[in-house]
Amino acid sequence: MSSMPRRFWELFPLFWLMFLAYPVSGFVQRAHPPGETALFWAVLAGFVVLYVLVFRRGREGREYWSLIGWVGALLAYGVTFRLSDGGASAFLVYAGALVGYQSRAYVALWGSLLAALVMALPLWSGQYGLDDLPWIVVNMVFTLVTAYANHAGFLRHVAQARVAQLQREQERLAAEAERERIARDLHDLLGHTLSVIVLKSELASRLAERAPAQAAAEIREVERISREALHEVRAAVRGYRGSGLTAELARAKVALDTAGVALRVGGPLPELPREVEATAAMLLREAVTNVVRHARAHEVQVKVEAGPRGYVLEIRDDGVGGQAPEGSGLTGMRERVRAIGGTLERDGRGGTRLRAQFPVLAGRPVPAAPAAVRA
């Protein structure tokens, strides 16, 4: 709803103040002493203020203001009944309207019924005759109808407020999830690459004096890897994913060769759905980064299998293994795998083995690698 219609409906209750013309017309039909005149206009002004407050505070969820307005309308009727003749009955209609502006249906019902019964009291006391019966009945019905209408309107307003609150909460959770996703992506993209850059830079530093040509080659390799990292970061900012599992295997081979670790790939890569391939590539990158940093391994084996129940990626090294607590990188990868319906298992006996199982996902698969990557 645009701001203009919403503003209109917020101000719409003020339209019903036009019915105050009935007590005003009843009051001005005959002369009154100054004291009664001051009392009438003071009551009228006070009721208008109270009426506005009921609808304003009611929108803020303060339902007790409807009862305050109901009591105020009954008091206004009692004070002005003998000053404006039958026109004071308008305050009883207002009493029904105001008590209906809340969520408790029984309060709205009994409050409006009481206001309607008060409206009929002059008939029983003989102050009104049978000629007044038609307009009194009409006003009694109108009192009940306005109570029901305002009760329904209040419930609708509360429902809309809850929907708006849920939408704000969903937007907040989505923003938090997006921040976490960006943090994981930055770690996945840069953690591995920066580790390779550090290793190659250390190697170039050691070779600088005894093998300047080889050191220069390592520096050029650092430059190339840095440019690739810059390209990947820019692609990530644009919302793109990595360049696939085949390219990630090639980068893993470079990193492991630099660290003196052999890479073995068990067979050709099957076709994978894009979402599975992107997650598998990120998992491979995280695993190779951990091998280079901590495993002290001599060999890493990578195997990807496809079956009727899904896909399996297994990464195994012959390093120190162990059951040390998982870092933020592996925890993030576990969340990433779980996000597409997969599972990730870690076994630290006899080295480290990571086994990720992915479900069959709908989507266009990427082309399969033409051949396996061998060390």
Side-chain angles (χ1 to χ4, degrees), residues 287-306:
V288 169
T289 300
N290 289 337
V291 168
V292 171
R293 289 177 176 175
H294 313 297
R296 299 201 297 273
H298 298 93
E299 182 179 281
V300 173
Q301 298 178 2
V302 177
K303 181 172 60 175
V304 183
E305 297 177 341

Side-chain angles (χ1 to χ4, degrees), residues 92-213:
L92 296 176
V93 178
Y94 283 119
L98 294 176
V99 78
Y101 201 66
Q102 62 171 299
S103 62
R104 294 167 295 181
Y106 69 93
V107 175
L109 174 61
W110 290 110
S112 58
L113 280 175
L114 181 58
L117 292 176
V118 171
M119 193 178 298
L121 285 178
L123 284 173
W124 298 336
S125 64
Q127 292 174 291
Y128 292 157
L130 291 179
D131 293 341
D132 297 311
L133 182 60
W135 68 263
I136 290 178
V137 171
V138 170
N139 283 354
M140 291 174 67
V141 172
F142 195 51
T143 300
L144 299 175
V145 170
T146 54
Y148 172 78
N150 280 353
H151 173 65
F154 183 83
L155 293 180
R156 183 176 64 253
H157 171 75
V158 170
Q160 291 174 346
R162 288 176 179 172
V163 169
Q165 182 179 3
L166 289 175
Q167 289 176 342
R168 290 192 296 269
E169 183 67 14
Q170 289 175 350
E171 291 173 358
R172 184 185 66 81
L173 293 176
E176 291 182 358
E178 181 66 12
R179 285 194 292 268
E180 292 179 0
R181 185 189 69 83
I182 292 173
R184 289 197 304 266
D185 285 350
L186 288 177
H187 179 275
D188 296 338
L189 288 171
L190 296 179
H192 164 82
T193 302
L194 293 177
S195 298
V196 175
I197 290 175
V198 169
L199 286 172
K200 286 189 168 292
S201 299
E202 291 175 350
L203 179 59
S205 178
R206 293 195 297 267
L207 295 174
E209 293 184 0
R210 67 174 186 270

Side-chain angles (χ1 to χ4, degrees), residues 256-304:
L256 293 172
D257 285 346
T258 302
V261 181
L263 174 64
R264 300 284 185 266
V265 180
L269 301 181
E271 293 186 349
L272 301 175
R274 294 185 183 279
E275 193 171 3
V276 170
E277 184 173 42
T279 305
M282 290 295 186
L283 177 58
L284 176 62
R285 175 173 297 195
E286 178 62 28
V288 169
T289 300
N290 289 337
V291 168
V292 171
R293 289 177 176 175
H294 313 297
R296 299 201 297 273
H298 298 93
E299 182 179 281
V300 173
Q301 298 178 2
V302 177
K303 181 172 60 175
V304 183

